[in-house]
Amino acid sequence: MKNVKSITEMSPVEFRWLLDMLVSEEIFQSRERLATLLAKGNSREELDAEFMEFHGDYEDLGFWLETYTEDPLKGLDPHASLTKKLKRHRDYILTNRKTTREERINRRMGIYLESDPKPEKKIIELPLDEYRQFVHNLVTQELFAVRQRLAKLLAEDASFKKLDVAFREFFVAYELLELALEDYHYDPDEGLEISPAFAEELDQVGESLKAGDRTYSLKEVFKEFEGE
């Protein structure tokens, strides 16, 4: 990626701003709606409509986190109980992950390059019982409890050190959510007719990704907010 400011390069003010953005992402509201629909036994069509929102919000959340390429355990106290827990999660993630970082970025955008592995399971084709279990697994991911703890620390104006550790926990929890989706293919537009103009735009995005281009950068976003 080009001209993207890494999370590890952010000032404390920028970092806190990022955390405020993360805990306010729409995925957390969408998760509540999806969990409510699931608990009430709503129809497949209603679950599908909200899942489309949830998945789109997951893509947005991933945008903010994809510049974090450090080992999230780096610098943490190896004897701390949280560090041991995060290590177990990371070991599980790294053992079971089948994709590269670039492939995961492409997949979130619904774009597969010729070299990218394609999931065999299509969410749209899951039997109802399996689909409901799949959605239940997503809405009960640890990310949503971790987000609550991070939001509480922000409200308490916690120290940079505490927020840094909380972010590491948030990031690993996000990776677990990412892994839970890895074996599944999802295209919200599948079965819909695509106009020639939109198909051409998708081709241009694919070529741009192959060339290593990026539509936005965190640096550009920060500049835009600073200018408001």
Side-chain angles (χ1 to χ4, degrees), residues 1-2 43 52-53 58 60 84 89 97 99 111 116 119 127 144 150 159-160 166 176-177 202 209 213:
M1 293 185 295
K2 301 177 180 179
S43 68
M52 181 173 68
E53 297 296 326
Y58 153 73
D60 292 341
K84 293 178 181 178
H89 288 333
R97 182 181 277 165
T99 55
I111 298 170
D116 290 351
F144 303 106
L150 178 55
S159 68
F160 178 84
L176 287 171
L177 173 63
L202 285 179
L209 284 172
D213 294 339

Side-chain angles (χ1 to χ4, degrees), residues 146-161:
V146 172
R147 179 261 178 186
Q148 293 289 84
R149 294 195 288 272
L150 178 55
K152 185 173 184 292
L153 287 174
L154 286 166
E156 294 171 349
D157 198 24
S159 68
F160 178 84
K161 183 177 180 179

